[in-house]
Amino acid sequence: MSGDLSRLAMTVLQPGYEGISTPDWLRRALGEGLGGVVLFARNAIDAQLVRQMRAENPAVVIAIDEEGGTVTRLEVQNGSSFPGNRALGVVDDVALTERVGRQIGRMLAELDITLNYAPDADVNSNPANPVIGVRSFGPSPELVSRHTVAYVNGVQGAGVAACAKHFPGHGDTVTDSHLALPTVHASREVLFSRDLPPFRAAIGAGVRAVMSGHLLIPALDPSMPATLSRTAMTELLRGELGFDGMLVTDSIDMQAVAAMFGHGEIAVRALNAGADAICVGQGSEEIVYEMRDAIVAAVRAGELPEERLAEAAARVLALSEWYGAQAALRDKARSDVDEGVGLAAARAALTTSGTATLDRAPLVVEVNTRFSKAVDAATPTGITAALTALLPNTARLQLDASGELPDLASDERPVVLVVHDAARHDWVRSTVTRALAMRPDAIVVDTGVPAPPGAAVHVATHGISRVSAQAAAEWLTQ
């Protein structure tokens, strides 16, 4: 195997890995030119871990999903210090969004992380969307565009590369691409007027990377998901939108594409489509070398032009070089601590109706709530934890779709119903209706995309984060 060709193939790979220390195989791969690594909470991320990787390959692109709100890798234990995109969109203060982006960038600069797989630039036009929801700034292309630009400016102003995702737009889907291939049934005209403006705006703002979405969009390509479609990746993103930065795939172990082809074939097809970096979240030694060998074999067989592979590798290295040139910005950002900005944003995002003051420990009934997988399910988090800190002896009851409501009418404690995405789930709304029939004085707190408030007291946080929970608890006990 040609060393140069093998190194080019390694340069375009961005795997994750298991464990809390750098595995031997990953160190070896970095020494062989592995161009990227994506970090997850499971990796126990700290500066020493990053230093070890850079010692093997100083040019490595170290990436992470640190959106804020629902998606955090650095603050999984207690929740993010930032309220997430929908909350920022509700406040609609672009200066505030840029401040939040800058502080997220500062966190990554402290760890010497190259690339943030954020912001989510999807327009959440479908309220039934199961995977975007509060990760989007909102349902309007104009709103999402201006906050995408502000977030990009914040992160990149801190000397860390930002990445607009999930191109061409994951907002109008009812399927989670982690589980199956979503189809976007929109005309080309609707795509251009609704879904593409935030990406166009991000490109205009100089975003260094774009992430593809595993989406079947028949108006663009009736046979292949966008990640594997030259029409979407090269003709549209490169040609019509003029993006010349690094194009990274969403994780290719997601079932939207993994159900179609093996890792090696996906990597080759994505590169042929126009991708520059292949992300595989559940990476391993076997998978990395399988992809490398498939890419090399495809070049030798004439199925993947060597010029296309060289171009992809050059874009990965160009992003690394850009990062290297931003050291002064990162130094400045590290000392620019804006500690209260996340909580301030979360407080500003609260949408309330009615008035309430909890003066004693309530019963918190959690309906469809979402939690960090890194925290034991029995440990109170979210609204319950925030209320417990203010009102000791706060009690907790968790309900899923099969759970039965207790007799709330005979309970003398105040009742707080904490729900998630009531707008998306009939069973959540019916549970709330039954609870309010028993206890008309119950308070409803929605942490996701809320249904119209029907309760006497309704609080919407528009996101899941530590600061969103704190803001809601403060309001409930004011």
Side-chain angles (χ1 to χ4, degrees):
M1 180 182 297
S2 158
D4 288 348
L5 193 54
S6 174
R7 198 167 185 89
L8 285 177
M10 291 295 274
T11 301
V12 302
L13 304 181
Q14 282 188 12
Y17 64 94
E18 295 295 328
I20 61 172
S21 60
T22 310
D24 289 342
W25 71 262
L26 185 59
R27 289 176 188 249
R28 186 174 74 254
L30 286 164
E32 294 169 358
L34 181 66
V37 178
V38 55
L39 299 177
F40 292 88
R42 64 179 184 255
N43 302 133
I45 303 158
D46 61 18
Q48 181 181 358
L49 182 80
V50 175
R51 279 196 299 272
Q52 289 172 346
M53 292 181 185
R54 293 202 182 280
E56 302 293 341
N57 179 4
V60 63
V61 171
I62 297 178
I64 195 169
D65 289 278
E66 193 64 33
E67 297 176 16
T70 309
V71 179
T72 175
R73 307 301 188 213
L74 298 177
E75 297 188 290
V76 288
Q77 194 67 36
N78 298 306
S80 178
S81 301
F82 309 98
N85 283 6
R86 183 182 173 92
L88 294 170
V90 167
V91 179
D92 197 12
D93 177 347
V94 290
L96 182 63
T97 296
E98 183 167 347
R99 285 171 62 196
V100 167
R102 180 171 177 78
Q103 290 305 299
I104 291 175
R106 183 183 67 79
M107 287 171 58
L108 304 187
E110 292 274 8
L111 295 168
D112 202 13
I113 291 172
T114 317
L115 171 65
N116 192 7
Y117 288 155
D120 190 310
D122 299 310
V123 178
N124 198 59
S125 55
N126 191 329
N129 196 314
V131 67
I132 303 302
V134 293
R135 295 171 64 195
S136 165
F137 289 111
S140 150
E142 295 79 16
L143 175 77
V144 175
S145 294
R146 62 179 172 265
H147 286 278
T148 294
V149 167
Y151 191 109
V152 167
N153 288 342
V155 172
Q156 295 192 167
V160 173
C163 178
K165 64 186 183 185
H166 307 84
F167 184 84
H170 208 316
D172 186 15
T173 63
V174 292
T175 302
D176 183 344
S177 51
H178 292 86
L179 308 176
L181 178 61
T183 300
V184 177
H185 300 283
S187 68
R188 191 176 171 89
E189 291 71 27
V190 168
L191 287 172
F192 270 76
S193 64
R194 181 192 65 190
D195 297 300
L196 295 183
F199 294 98
R200 194 186 292 276
I203 292 164
V207 72
R208 306 308 303 184
V210 168
M211 176 180 281
S212 69
H214 303 321
L215 309 157
L216 186 65
I217 307 176
L220 296 178
D221 187 329
S223 61
M224 279 291 146
T227 296
L228 309 180
S229 168
R230 184 169 176 82
T231 305
M233 297 295 98
T234 296
E235 294 175 16
L236 178 56
L237 181 59
R238 300 292 190 200
E240 295 189 57
L241 271 60
F243 178 62
D244 194 39
M246 190 188 79
L247 172 55
V248 60
T249 70
D250 206 346
S251 178
I252 65 166
D253 50 16
M254 293 163 63
Q255 285 303 300
V257 291
M260 300 174 71
F261 308 108
H263 291 100
E265 185 167 358
I266 294 172
V268 171
R269 285 175 176 266
L271 288 164
N272 261 323
D276 304 309
I278 313 299
C279 171
V280 52
Q282 297 291 332
S284 67
E285 181 176 16
E286 180 183 7
I287 289 169
V288 165
Y289 287 97
E290 174 194 340
M291 291 192 295
R292 180 200 66 178
D293 293 348
I295 293 166
V296 170
V299 172
R300 289 184 169 161
E303 296 163 3
L304 173 65
E306 187 169 351
E307 297 76 19
R308 170 77 273 270
L309 176 60
E311 175 188 58
R315 287 207 182 101
V316 174
L317 293 172
L319 187 141
S320 176
E321 289 167 7
W322 176 89
Y323 177 81
Q326 311 308 310
L329 285 182
R330 290 192 295 281
D331 286 343
K332 186 172 186 301
R334 288 186 191 106
S335 61
D336 183 19
V337 180
D338 191 357
E339 198 165 329
V341 67
L343 181 57
R347 287 169 175 158
L350 285 183
T351 305
T352 62
S353 62
T355 57
T357 300
L358 292 173
D359 57 2
R360 56 200 170 98
L363 169 64
V364 178
V365 182
E366 297 178 345
V367 185
N368 191 44
T369 42
R370 292 178 60 181
F371 305 103
S372 163
K373 293 176 182 176
V375 178
D376 187 306
T379 303
T381 59
I383 307 293
T384 303
L387 281 173
T388 301
L390 297 173
L391 298 170
N393 301 316
T394 290
R396 175 200 207 191
L397 172 67
Q398 293 177 280
L399 290 182
D400 58 20
S402 61
E404 284 297 319
L405 270 172
D407 177 13
L408 298 176
S410 61
D411 199 311
E412 296 182 349
R413 294 169 293 187
V415 173
V416 178
L417 300 169
V418 178
V419 302
H420 184 70
D421 278 358
R424 282 189 50 231
H425 299 288
D426 290 338
W427 75 268
V428 173
R429 294 193 298 276
S430 67
T431 301
V432 170
T433 300
R434 284 183 282 120
L436 290 175
M438 287 187 266
R439 287 291 298 269
D441 62 334
I443 300 164
V444 178
V445 181
D446 199 321
T447 62
V449 178
V457 181
H458 186 279
V459 181
T461 64
H462 303 285
I464 304 170
S465 70
R466 178 180 55 78
V467 287
S468 297
Q470 183 180 337
E474 287 174 353
W475 189 86
L476 290 170
T477 57
Q478 62 190 342

